[in-house]
């Protein structure tokens, strides 16, 4: 259960980063493109960046 909690809080932090950095409208667009599997949303189409690049930005954001 603790691993699931950790994952939940990490994902919530990533969502907060996306909204704070790129706006709620972009996040809402992204949300509509996913198919319920990890990193399946169209990050490139919405943010013009791959998921992995956004993840790296998020990690830097968390550490700042």
């Amino acid at each position: 259960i603790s691993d699931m909690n950790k994952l939940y809080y990490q994902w919530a932090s990533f969502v907060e980063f996306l909204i704070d950095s790129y706006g709620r409208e972009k996040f809402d667009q992204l949300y509509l493109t996913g198919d319920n599997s990890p990193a399946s949303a169209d990050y490139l189409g919405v943010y013009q960046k791959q998921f992995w690049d956004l993840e790296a930005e998020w990690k830097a954001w968390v550490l700042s």
Side-chain angles (χ1 to χ4, degrees), residues 27-63:
F27 181 78
D28 289 345
Q29 290 173 4
L30 179 74
Y31 184 82
L32 295 174
T33 68
D35 67 6
N36 294 323
S37 60
S40 66
D42 187 11
Y43 292 89
L44 186 59
V46 174
Y47 294 108
Q48 288 71 53
K49 296 180 181 190
Q50 295 289 344
F51 170 78
W52 314 113
D53 296 326
L54 290 163
E55 180 186 35
E57 287 182 22
W58 165 69
K59 287 179 180 179
W61 178 81
V62 167
L63 294 174

Side-chain angles (χ1 to χ4, degrees), residues 1-8 10:
I1 291 176
S2 69
D3 286 343
M4 290 180 67
N5 284 339
K6 182 179 175 183
L7 181 60
Y8 173 81
Q10 287 175 339

Side-chain angles (χ1 to χ4, degrees), residues 15-26:
V15 168
E16 180 181 1
F17 158 73
L18 290 175
I19 292 171
D20 285 353
S21 299
Y22 297 98
R24 180 64 191 231
E25 185 176 311
K26 288 272 188 193

